[in-house]
Amino acid sequence: MIVAKFGGTSVADAAAITRTAGIVRGRVSRAPVVVVSALAGTTNALLEAAGQASGVNLVGAITMVEQMRARHLAVVKEILGVGADTDELGATVSMLFDELAHLLEALSVLGHMTPRSLDAIASYGEQFSAPIVEASLRHAGVDAVLVDARKVMVTDAQYGRAEPRLADIGAAARENVRPLVLEGRVPVLGGYIGATPDGITTTLGRGGSDFTASLLGAALEAEAIEIWTDVDGMLTADPRVVRGARLIEHIRFDEASELASFGAKVLHPNTIAPAVARGIPVFVFNSMKPEGSGTRITADAPRHAVRAIAGKGNTAIIKVRSPRMLGASGALQQIFEVFARRGLPVDVVTTSEVSVSLTLDETHQLDEVLAELRAFGDAGVERGRGIIAVVGAALATDPGAMARAIAAIGHVRLHMLSLDSTGINLTMVMDGDQVRPVMQRLHDTFFGGSAA
Ligand code: ADP
Ligand code: ASP
Ligand code: MG
């Protein structure tokens, strides 16, 4: 059994969905379970419509819904042609759009939105795409069957970034997915969405369909987890940021995980952990070029000093300084609890005897966080920073590589610099507008001439 996940661009329109159906058909002998994202751009549009409706621009929100409806129905018609199948699927999808419109109306009456209602709305993208892909697979001769992801992906109630409940997911996958595969059928599930044990819809966080695929792969003890996307595999850097990025054929779990956490959007940061837990290889393939070799991610790829570079912006640095407190035992713990209570993940941390600096993605909660941190001493925030991660399993044991990395930074002011405890990730925090040029210099230094 394998799990094959198709991202937004792989289901963006009729041509992409047809290509995706062909890829699945070619894998039927491997007993695939298919996970799909929303049609490219849909989740963004849904979140925008929710914002408009709750900001009492219902007309704007409904206009967006009707544009999305027209797009989805046109895709259905283009794939299935004129006839009963199109009418039936069109009616199913249209009913979901009616539901969505009602929800948005309710939001506009309330004039306000909760994280729970936002998740309910965000979930429609995958609710629309999954039945369309299922029907397209059947149209291509695959015995596909739709499974409501909310019956399988059981999560807690942290709306917007729900945590999976692994034991429940395992049980639900064995009950609702595995028997279908054993019957020779191809289950199709929407990624990204889940539900609490009470059945309230949740989402796993943006880009979360990758995470759905790996959770499902682990629950079903799949042989492989395949991530089908719009690039040839994991590359030595984001090709949208760096010129000359190259395909990585084989990379280690720990390296891929660090890269994903520091901006390599090709994988959701949580994708790797479930695969590591069960030792399941993860593959990244290009759905536009299915014949490509892609990237294989496993525990045992050869170690390189620098395997790839990732980066991200919109980072805030929080600095807490206190001559009295920080030496005291327990102070760091209390500081981290401020972030933990809000579910805010901290990325880079550096300390001295009297101060601690840490970074997180910029959020609207920063002011509240600062107010709480002032209990420990002077606390301040610097916005608009960015992080670069230079990642390689043999980085720490190759002083030459470290020196070259530092040299490549050039005359750019560093706000923080840190090497993680396993020595595979050198992170540097700088002004956000320096991330792009410094990534290019680092990439030229390590991947300029020879093959990756
Ligand atoms: P999908 O919709 O298939 O999930 P995403 O847009 O989420 O696709 O992820 C694919 C994108 O990730 C690529 O188009 C690329 O711009 C970006 N990306 C960032 N870092 C990397 C990297 N190291 N290797 C490959 N792609 C990367
Ligand atoms: N559709 C969701 C998003 O855009 C999940 C995903 O594509 O992985 O974030
Ligand atoms: Mg993605």
Side-chain angles (χ1 to χ4, degrees):
M1 187 188 305
I2 61 170
V3 175
K5 174 261 173 176
F6 295 88
T9 44
S10 307
V11 294
D13 52 28
I17 294 175
T18 303
R19 223 167 19 236
T20 287
I23 293 169
V24 174
R25 193 178 46 210
R27 288 173 136 63
V28 163
S29 65
R30 300 186 61 198
V33 175
V34 174
V35 173
V36 293
S37 292
L39 274 57
T42 306
T43 311
N44 285 342
L46 288 165
L47 295 175
E48 195 187 327
Q52 296 210 357
S54 62
V56 295
N57 178 6
L58 183 59
V59 173
I62 296 297
T63 305
M64 293 187 71
V65 171
E66 293 315 320
Q67 282 165 355
M68 283 186 255
R69 188 198 304 257
R71 174 183 176 195
H72 283 75
L73 294 181
V75 166
V76 169
K77 198 163 158 203
E78 194 177 336
I79 297 173
L80 301 185
V82 179
D85 288 351
T86 294
D87 293 346
E88 196 184 317
L89 178 60
T92 305
V93 171
S94 226
M95 222 155 65
L96 290 166
F97 274 101
D98 294 344
E99 261 177 47
L100 169 64
H102 284 134
L103 266 174
L104 291 168
E105 270 169 43
L107 277 193
S108 87
V109 172
L110 292 170
H112 131 107
M113 182 163 59
T114 62
R116 173 173 160 175
S117 46
L118 194 58
D119 265 4
I121 287 168
S123 74
Y124 275 90
E126 276 73 10
Q127 292 193 59
F128 301 142
S129 66
I132 296 177
V133 172
E134 178 219 21
S136 308
L137 285 170
R138 278 209 308 275
H139 188 70
V142 176
D143 187 7
V145 50
L146 182 67
V147 176
D148 187 340
R150 293 169 296 181
K151 299 228 150 50
V152 182
M153 285 297 131
V154 188
T155 72
D156 70 6
Q158 287 185 65
Y159 300 105
R161 49 156 181 271
E163 286 285 335
R165 293 170 53 117
L166 298 183
D168 292 340
I169 292 173
R174 282 188 292 276
E175 193 182 322
N176 300 318
V177 182
R178 189 193 294 278
L180 297 169
V181 180
L182 295 177
E183 283 168 25
R185 308 191 70 188
V186 175
V188 179
L189 297 89
Y192 174 59
I193 65 182
T196 65
D198 304 333
I200 314 289
T201 299
T202 56
T203 67
L204 299 173
R206 294 306 307 273
S209 296
D210 303 326
F211 192 24
T212 303
S214 72
L215 287 166
L216 211 51
L220 295 167
E221 295 178 333
E223 257 167 63
I225 296 159
E226 298 183 347
I227 305 295
W228 290 85
T229 183
D230 62 354
V231 281
D232 290 347
M234 278 201 102
L235 309 180
T236 49
D238 185 344
R240 291 186 212 187
V241 177
V242 162
R243 287 181 311 279
R246 294 146 185 265
L247 177 68
I248 300 172
E249 277 171 13
H250 193 187
I251 185 171
R252 304 168 64 85
F253 280 136
D254 50 4
E255 293 169 328
S257 188
E258 293 293 333
L259 290 165
S261 298
F262 286 92
K265 178 180 171 239
V266 61
L267 290 179
H268 182 279
N270 295 343
T271 312
I272 297 297
V276 172
R278 299 289 168 111
I280 304 171
V282 177
F283 295 84
V284 181
F285 293 122
N286 188 343
S287 69
M288 328 288 174
K289 286 196 239 156
E291 66 290 349
S293 59
T295 297
R296 181 160 53 103
I297 311 173
T298 66
D300 60 356
R303 292 169 189 273
H304 288 69
V306 176
R307 201 66 183 108
I309 296 160
K312 61 181 180 178
N314 295 323
T315 302
I317 304 180
I318 294 203
K319 294 186 171 167
V320 185
R321 203 183 139 80
S322 162
R324 290 167 294 112
M325 287 278 313
L326 291 174
S329 63
L332 282 179
Q333 183 190 343
Q334 288 169 12
I335 287 173
F336 280 103
E337 273 170 4
V338 172
F339 297 92
R341 273 199 295 279
R342 292 186 160 73
L344 294 175
V346 170
D347 285 325
V348 185
V349 183
T350 57
T351 64
S352 77
E353 184 57 21
V354 293
S355 70
V356 54
S357 301
L358 37 84
T359 69
L360 68 166
D361 293 339
E362 289 191 35
T363 96
H364 54 277
Q365 298 185 58
L366 283 177
D367 290 336
E368 297 157 37
V369 165
L370 275 185
E372 270 193 60
L373 290 174
R374 298 221 160 93
F376 303 99
D378 292 341
V381 61
E382 297 171 10
R383 296 171 204 263
R385 305 298 189 217
I387 307 182
I388 293 180
V390 178
V391 174
L395 181 62
T397 51
D398 185 336
M402 197 88 76
R404 286 165 74 207
I406 303 287
I409 299 167
H411 292 269
V412 165
R413 181 170 169 214
L414 287 184
H415 298 283
M416 292 165 70
L417 181 66
S418 140
L419 181 69
D420 76 299
S421 63
T422 54
I424 76 165
N425 185 359
L426 179 67
T427 45
M428 325 175 196
V429 183
M430 59 198 74
D431 291 347
D433 59 5
Q434 294 296 338
V435 168
R436 199 175 259 268
V438 174
M439 274 185 76
Q440 186 69 56
R441 284 205 291 278
L442 282 162
H443 195 272
D444 290 346
T445 297
F446 289 104
F447 305 106
S450 56

